């Protein structure tokens, strides 16, 4: 297990320390260290196991568990960090249950909560969040997928892409243009069950760190209006609020990857002999290790500051963006150093550091690319300055 002294930081309460210890023991017993070729089956199995043993309740904050505003962000971050240290797929399985059901936790009707959230929390239904489109990724307000209202139904047409859990999800929360107003104020959210006529998996997408991912096509896909989540035209707000909850946890996952890379690098550096000493005896190696540890602690401070502030009821737009930017970019550097310390072994398929090298990359892109986080931080700074009545 990694260095756990950070759990003594004042951000945490005793329940968080207990959670981290218990999950570590669970992960050692239940999370496979290596993945086979069938990521769909592995992902389903991980969701079931995480649900059966009660971990998913932390990600799914809907009925009977409360709502997203009462979610324990520190618990979510500790869970993602711990799972990511063991397996990117385990972290993915946990996180997507929360992200995919977040809109229902925030705005779902009692019937929607009853029907979906308990099953998601028990790992009996797999959730997905369908926002991005081929022409609307970072600029998500440009989305084109449409939902026209016909009587008691919405008819959805369009394409969604990069949809995690695409192909294995039991339902998708889909954001579509309903046209109440121009731009982002004319979007609504709908729950579309897998198997609904008109919803097809257009193609599966293979990525460098395999997990279930697909492009979805909607063709005259009729969904009862009782499946709309929240008010008409409020879908964009719901999507952004959901992402706000989970952005800090992406940083926590990156932190978990980085901690694993440092553990692996320390072990390798202290056991690999060369030039009559170990690799760790060289000051150049020590400089690398020092930088890796410092980057990890800086990221952890930002991650848990943001989580602690959110749990205290504060707005964390700036803090979450700082945490995601620093932890994901920092983890990439830490992992790269680990690969370097491993030498040739570092690039051999399925070595832990090689796997981490692939796992970390997309975290700098999804849920707001690093450049988007930089813009958010700068926007908040300038807003504060303007509010203080100074010249910008
Ligand atoms: C593995 C993976 C899983 C995903 N899962 C989901 C999911 O479950 N549901 C979902 O809806 N989406 C998902 N996405 C989509 C993800 O959110 C988008 O990939 C992301 O928003 C970026 O959009 P894009 O890929 O279209 O890149 P683009 O929007 O084309 O951006 C390309 C690059 O431009 C740069 N950039 C962006 N904005 C600016 C700017 N203002 N100034 C300067 N540079 C900028 C960034 O470097 C960015 O990486 C996933 C993506 C990946 C890779």
């Amino acid at each position: 297990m990694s260095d756990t002294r950070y759990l003594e930081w004042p951000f945490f309460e005793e329940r968080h320390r207990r959670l981290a210890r218990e999950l570590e023991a669970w992960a050692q017993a239940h999370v496979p260290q290596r993945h086979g070729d069938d990521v769909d089956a592995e992902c389903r199995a991980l969701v079931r196991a995480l649900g059966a043993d009660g971990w998913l309740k932390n990600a799914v904050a809907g009925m009977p568990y409360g709502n997203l505003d009462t979610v324990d962000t520190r618990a979510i971050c500790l869970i993602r960090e711990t799972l990511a240290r063991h397996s990117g797929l385990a972290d993915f399985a946990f996180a997507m249950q929360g992200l995919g059901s977040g809109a229902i936790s925030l705005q779902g009707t009692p019937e929607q909560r009853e029907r979906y959230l308990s099953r998601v929390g028990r790992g009996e239904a797999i959730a997905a969040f369908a926002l991005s489109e081929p022409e609307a990724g970072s600029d998500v307000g440009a989305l084109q997928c449409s939902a026209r209202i016909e009587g008691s139904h919405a008819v959805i047409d369009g394409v969604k892409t990069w949809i995690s859990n695409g192909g294995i999800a039991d339902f998708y929360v889909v954001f579509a243009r309903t046209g109440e107003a121009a731009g982002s104020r004319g979007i609504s959210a709908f729950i579309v069950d897998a198997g609904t006529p008109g919803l097809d998996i257009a193609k599966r997408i293979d990525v460098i760190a395999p997990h279930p991912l697909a492009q979805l096509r909607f063709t005259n896909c009729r969904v009862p209006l009782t499946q709309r989540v929240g008010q008409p035209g409020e879908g964009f707000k719901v999507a952004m609020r959901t992402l706000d909850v989970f952005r800090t946890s992406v940083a926590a996952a990156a932190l978990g990857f980085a901690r694993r890379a440092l553990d692996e690098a320390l072990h390798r550096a202290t056991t690999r002999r060369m030039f009559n000493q170990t690799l760790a005896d060289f000051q150049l190696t020590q400089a690398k290790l020092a930088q890796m540890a410092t980057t990890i602690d800086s990221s952890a401070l930002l991650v848990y500051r943001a989580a602690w502030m959110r749990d205290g009821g504060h707005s964390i737009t700036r803090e979450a963006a700082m945490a995601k930017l620093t932890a994901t970019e920092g983890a990439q550097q830490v992992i790269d150093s680990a690969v370097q310390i491993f030498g040739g072994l570092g690039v051999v398929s399925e070595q832990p550091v090689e796997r981490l090298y692939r796992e970390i990359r997309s975290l700098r892109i999804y849920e707001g690319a690093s450049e988007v986080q930089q813009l958010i931080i700068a926007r908040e700074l300038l807003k504060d300055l303007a509010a203080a009545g100074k010249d910008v």
Side-chain angles (χ1 to χ4, degrees), residues 96 129-132 136-139 161-164 211 213 362 365-369 371-372 375:
M96 280 314 301
F129 177 85
L131 180 64
S132 304
S138 304
D139 182 11
T161 197
W162 309 118
I163 307 310
S164 297
H211 69 259
L213 192 70
S362 58
I365 296 171
Y366 63 57
E367 294 192 36
E371 290 81 355
V372 173
L375 290 174

Side-chain angles (χ1 to χ4, degrees), residues 47-364:
V47 170
R48 269 198 305 275
L50 286 163
D53 290 340
W55 300 109
L56 286 180
K57 271 187 283 190
N58 294 281
V60 182
M63 205 170 110
Y65 311 118
N67 66 56
L68 269 194
D69 291 327
T70 60
V71 82
D72 185 341
T73 318
R74 286 166 292 173
I76 291 188
C77 288
L78 281 172
I79 292 173
R80 289 203 64 181
E81 183 192 326
T82 306
L83 292 175
R85 195 155 37 69
H86 286 271
S87 149
L89 204 57
D91 165 61
F92 168 83
F94 173 84
M96 280 314 301
Q97 291 297 88
L99 185 65
S101 65
I104 307 173
S105 293
L106 274 172
Q107 295 277 312
T109 61
E111 294 73 26
Q112 291 168 350
R113 287 163 169 263
E114 195 63 64
R115 178 152 178 228
Y116 292 99
L117 294 182
S118 300
R119 284 193 298 140
V120 173
R122 290 196 299 266
E124 293 164 5
I126 294 183
F129 177 85
L131 180 64
S132 304
E133 298 180 6
E135 301 304 325
S138 304
D139 182 11
V140 70
L143 69 82
Q144 289 302 317
C145 184
S146 68
R148 64 178 191 282
I149 308 302
E150 284 185 2
S152 59
H153 284 70
V155 184
I156 304 178
D157 282 287
V159 173
K160 292 286 174 186
T161 197
W162 309 118
I163 307 310
S164 297
N165 279 340
I168 68 163
D170 293 287
F171 68 91
Y172 300 83
V173 173
V174 179
F175 297 86
R177 192 162 289 290
T178 36
E180 290 77 10
S184 58
R185 279 175 297 145
I187 292 167
S188 305
F190 299 91
I191 308 167
V192 184
D193 290 326
T196 303
L199 161 58
D200 296 299
I201 306 301
K203 63 175 178 191
R204 294 294 296 262
I205 304 171
D206 292 329
V207 281
I208 55 177
H211 69 259
L213 192 70
Q215 188 168 94
L216 315 178
R217 183 181 306 286
F218 295 87
T219 318
N220 267 320
C221 179
R222 290 173 68 79
V223 179
L225 285 179
T226 49
Q227 295 290 82
R228 185 173 53 211
V229 186
Q231 297 302 310
E234 298 275 290
F236 189 77
K237 221 178 344 181
V238 172
M240 292 305 118
R241 282 188 66 202
T242 310
L243 289 170
D244 261 358
V245 177
F246 290 98
R247 186 164 294 132
T248 310
S249 78
V250 178
L255 183 59
F257 290 146
R259 284 197 200 281
R260 176 64 179 269
L262 178 59
D263 290 348
E264 298 287 339
L266 280 168
H267 182 258
R268 179 71 184 163
T270 51
T271 51
R272 172 66 167 163
R273 292 200 66 79
M274 60 175 76
F275 307 108
N276 296 320
Q277 52 184 358
T278 69
L279 183 54
D281 290 322
F282 291 98
Q283 288 187 335
L284 282 174
T285 311
Q286 291 167 18
K288 271 201 192 70
L289 294 170
Q291 185 56 55
M292 291 161 84
T294 306
T295 301
I296 286 173
D297 267 17
S298 320
S299 301
L301 283 162
L302 288 176
V303 168
Y304 290 109
R305 173 185 73 162
W308 172 77
M309 283 180 66
R310 185 172 192 285
D311 289 344
H314 302 281
S315 158
I316 58 158
T317 306
R318 188 180 79 128
E319 288 76 11
M322 285 180 169
K324 184 174 186 279
L325 176 67
T326 304
T328 57
E329 295 288 334
Q332 184 83 66
Q333 290 161 15
V334 169
I335 293 166
D336 189 65
S337 294
V339 169
Q340 195 70 12
I341 284 172
F342 267 74
L345 263 188
V347 293
V348 171
S349 296
E350 287 304 323
Q351 277 289 324
V353 292
E354 184 272 344
R355 189 169 43 74
L356 291 165
Y357 193 76
R358 290 182 286 107
E359 299 269 22
I360 187 59
R361 192 61 187 87
S362 58
L363 277 65
R364 294 167 56 203

Side-chain angles (χ1 to χ4, degrees), residues 17-40:
R17 289 184 266 276
R18 195 170 51 243
L19 176 99
R21 277 195 304 273
E22 289 173 2
L23 180 59
E24 174 60 25
W26 185 89
Q28 284 183 18
H30 293 88
V31 174
Q33 285 294 306
R34 294 177 75 86
H35 299 303
D37 293 335
D38 191 347
V39 282
D40 289 6

